[in-house]
Amino acid sequence: MADLSKLYDAVVAGRIEAAGTLTRRALSGGSAPGTILNESLVPAMAEVGARFGRNEYYIPDMLISAEAMKTAMGILQPALVTAGVEPVGSVAIGTIKGDLHDIGKNLVAAMLEGNGFQVFNLGMNVAPEQFAAAVKEHEVDLIAISALLTTTMINMKEVIDILDREGLREQVKVIIGGAPVTPDYAEKIGADGFSDNANGAVNLTKQLISGSGERL
Ligand code: B12
């Protein structure tokens, strides 16, 4: 537990090497990967955001904390992902056009992989056309779109519009998420579901792919 609060401090302070060392130590000390994630790393990034919101942190501070988070995630990811499981479905995930925030998206991708989904991670700043192309190329069951900015979340609707225009909408589910996204917004743009966290994203994906077909 002591290590988890040290890890939290390291990510908030942007101490990249310490974040890596403390993640390894927490894992070898027996902390569950989910505990490390949810009790240390995710709250640390929330604190970084809060400090930015209060003008106590600036962009370089956010960047360096994001690097510390990524280092920790790189170590945690293999522990989150169970190897050798038959894919239970396939997902294309990306951060929407104009948006360079990829930590939450990568977390959702890792959790999906860890739950047996085949994941095509399209990266960040993904154009709506690229999501449609992934549906055609990989015949994915579901598209997961992330947005962290109020100015970019509006681009999510373009993905659904393109899927409609190209006659692909019926064959693929669409879920959205990211800090500014709300269930109302998901409903408004015609997405099939929303979650504000990675576990919720996995549950949503399971429900939608198993074919309830309902909007969640
Ligand atoms: C780190 C960070 C950055 C880093 C990003 C590095 C990277 N590689 O990702 C850098 C420094 C590059 C950055 C830049 C900017 N940022 Co910034 N950033 C953040 C910060 C501090 C943390 C984001 C994060 O990683 N959170 C941790 C992850 C784990 O959480 P998450 O992303 O929310 O993801 C979870 C859920 O949302 C959900 N989820 C996420 N995606 C999806 C997808 C699906 C399908 C589902 C179901 C769920 C889901 O599950 C995830 C796991 O639980 C946030 C503050 C915050 N509290 O969000 C600001 C924040 C998002 N940034 C902000 C701003 C303003 C900017 C800049 C415009 C600053 C500037 N003036 O240049 C630029 C924009 C650059 C761009 N074009 O994208 C504002 C946005 C305000 C707004 N309402 O639009 C925030 C909220 C800060 C603030 N308090 O004002 N940023």
Side-chain angles (χ1 to χ4, degrees):
M1 280 301 142
D3 279 347
L4 291 190
S5 79
K6 280 187 196 155
L7 177 57
Y8 171 96
D9 291 341
V11 172
V12 172
R15 283 185 279 115
I16 296 168
E17 215 181 302
T21 310
L22 289 162
T23 305
R24 268 189 217 96
R25 201 183 289 166
L27 277 173
S28 62
S31 295
T35 307
I36 300 174
L37 188 62
N38 294 318
E39 292 182 17
S40 186
L41 299 176
V42 170
M45 288 313 287
E47 174 60 17
V48 170
R51 290 185 188 193
F52 181 76
R54 296 195 298 266
N55 292 327
E56 292 165 19
Y57 265 25
Y58 297 95
I59 293 167
D61 304 301
M62 281 205 291
L63 260 181
I64 198 154
S65 288
E67 275 311 307
M69 171 83 174
K70 280 189 171 183
T71 300
M73 277 306 296
I75 294 159
L76 208 55
Q77 187 149 342
L80 286 169
V81 174
T82 32
V85 181
E86 269 297 297
V88 290
S90 57
V91 177
I93 187 168
T95 307
I96 196 67
K97 182 174 75 177
D99 203 318
L100 305 177
H101 296 86
D102 67 353
I103 294 174
K105 179 265 296 174
N106 287 341
L107 204 49
V108 173
M111 294 294 283
L112 285 169
E113 273 181 338
N115 280 273
F117 290 93
Q118 182 180 24
V119 176
F120 298 92
N121 192 334
L122 308 179
M124 54 187 157
N125 192 20
V126 179
E129 296 77 10
Q130 290 173 266
F131 284 102
V135 176
K136 285 186 253 179
E137 190 181 338
H138 305 298
E139 298 187 339
V140 291
D141 302 302
L142 182 138
I143 287 179
I145 319 170
S146 181
L148 266 284
L149 299 170
T150 43
T151 48
T152 58
M153 64 186 258
I154 49 175
N155 298 332
M156 291 169 147
K157 182 171 183 310
E158 273 183 55
V159 178
I160 291 172
D161 290 346
I162 286 187
L163 294 174
D164 271 334
R165 272 205 305 281
E166 300 199 3
L168 299 167
R169 183 67 183 98
E170 292 302 309
Q171 75 185 64
V172 68
K173 301 289 182 192
V174 179
I175 65 169
I176 63 173
V181 180
T182 62
D184 283 352
Y185 184 70
E187 171 130 33
K188 189 174 150 201
I189 67 169
D192 297 298
F194 155 85
S195 170
D196 65 1
N197 65 77
N199 284 329
V202 170
N203 291 334
L204 197 55
T205 302
K206 284 181 179 164
Q207 285 169 44
L208 287 167
I209 290 185
S210 75
S212 80
E214 277 173 37
R215 194 161 281 169
L216 298 162

